[in-house]
Amino acid sequence: MSVVICPWCQSEILTEEGQEPEKYCPVCDNELGGYRTLRVALGEEDEPEEAMPESQIGISYDEEPDWDQDEELKRYEGKAENLLDYEEAVEKLLDGQETVPECPQCQEYMLHAGEMTVGSESFRPRTFPAASGSEAVLSAPFAVQAYVCPSCFTMHYALAEEDRMAFARRLSDAKRRKERSR
């Protein structure tokens, strides 16, 4: 007898000897087979794992382990505490934010890292035709809000609020001037 585990709903599907395996899961009706399916053979041909001798484990089953002596456990405890402290700090910072965007990479909430001013020496604007020549879509200097994902550390930038309003006003005014010049 063999067992197929559906990768979609995690149901066990039993298959009798000589019977053809199911092509679709009877529970969720998703396709089975290929790289998405795990087949587990059950029966007498499977040998149980032999227990590892006590001499290889390093402790006997009769004695209690000395947790204070386990250096690896101490390192893990320190890392776990640091991770919990990190998560608590992230939660506090997120609670204090007015805007909380989602990371485009992993969909976690992003932390506001600060504001950056972009000057005219480091920004070359794109221009669009206007009634009175060509105008910049966005003119420097302007400020951008920088966000960082606490999970995958991706950076994301968005125009600061006052520059968003100026940007919208500039495009609206350019459209109106172009319509009047026709």
Side-chain angles (χ1 to χ4, degrees):
M1 178 184 298
S2 70
V3 175
V4 175
I5 299 173
C6 176
W8 309 104
C9 68
Q10 309 301 313
S11 298
E12 293 181 5
I13 304 160
L14 299 173
T15 306
E16 295 291 328
E17 292 288 329
Q19 186 181 18
E20 219 174 286
E22 298 279 339
K23 293 190 189 301
Y24 294 93
C25 175
V27 177
C28 67
D29 207 32
N30 278 303
E31 180 184 359
L32 299 173
Y35 68 94
R36 298 175 296 225
T37 304
L38 176 64
R39 296 187 184 280
V40 180
L42 299 177
E44 295 168 13
E45 67 273 355
D46 293 339
E47 295 179 17
E49 291 184 25
E50 292 184 19
M52 191 179 294
E54 288 182 12
S55 61
Q56 289 183 355
I57 297 174
I59 61 169
S60 76
Y61 292 113
D62 299 331
E63 70 181 57
E64 281 291 316
D66 185 8
W67 297 111
D68 294 331
Q69 297 298 323
D70 193 351
E71 292 299 318
E72 188 176 328
L73 183 62
K74 285 182 183 177
R75 280 191 302 245
Y76 176 76
E77 280 180 3
K79 288 179 182 177
E81 287 175 17
N82 289 342
L83 185 59
L84 285 174
D85 291 342
Y86 175 72
E87 289 174 354
E88 286 175 11
V90 166
E91 284 300 318
K92 280 185 182 177
L93 289 170
L94 286 171
D95 289 342
Q97 281 184 213
E98 201 171 299
T99 305
V100 185
E102 281 188 359
C103 175
Q105 195 74 24
C106 67
Q107 283 68 47
E108 290 289 327
Y109 292 127
M110 299 185 84
L111 291 172
H112 181 241
E115 188 171 290
M116 198 168 53
T117 303
V118 178
S120 57
E121 65 279 348
S122 61
F123 181 73
R124 190 173 59 233
R126 177 178 175 212
T127 59
F128 62 92
S132 60
S134 63
E135 286 189 51
V137 173
L138 181 66
S139 62
F142 58 89
V144 291
Q145 302 291 329
Y147 295 92
V148 65
C149 176
S151 183
C152 70
F153 305 103
T154 297
M155 294 289 294
H156 179 73
Y157 301 95
L159 271 176
E161 187 64 34
E162 61 271 359
D163 290 313
R164 289 179 195 179
M165 298 304 219
F167 175 75
R169 209 175 308 114
R170 169 176 279 133
L171 292 179
S172 298
D173 291 346
K175 182 181 181 268
R176 276 190 230 116
R177 281 194 300 269
K178 190 172 184 177
E179 287 174 354
R180 276 188 246 144
S181 67
R182 287 184 193 181

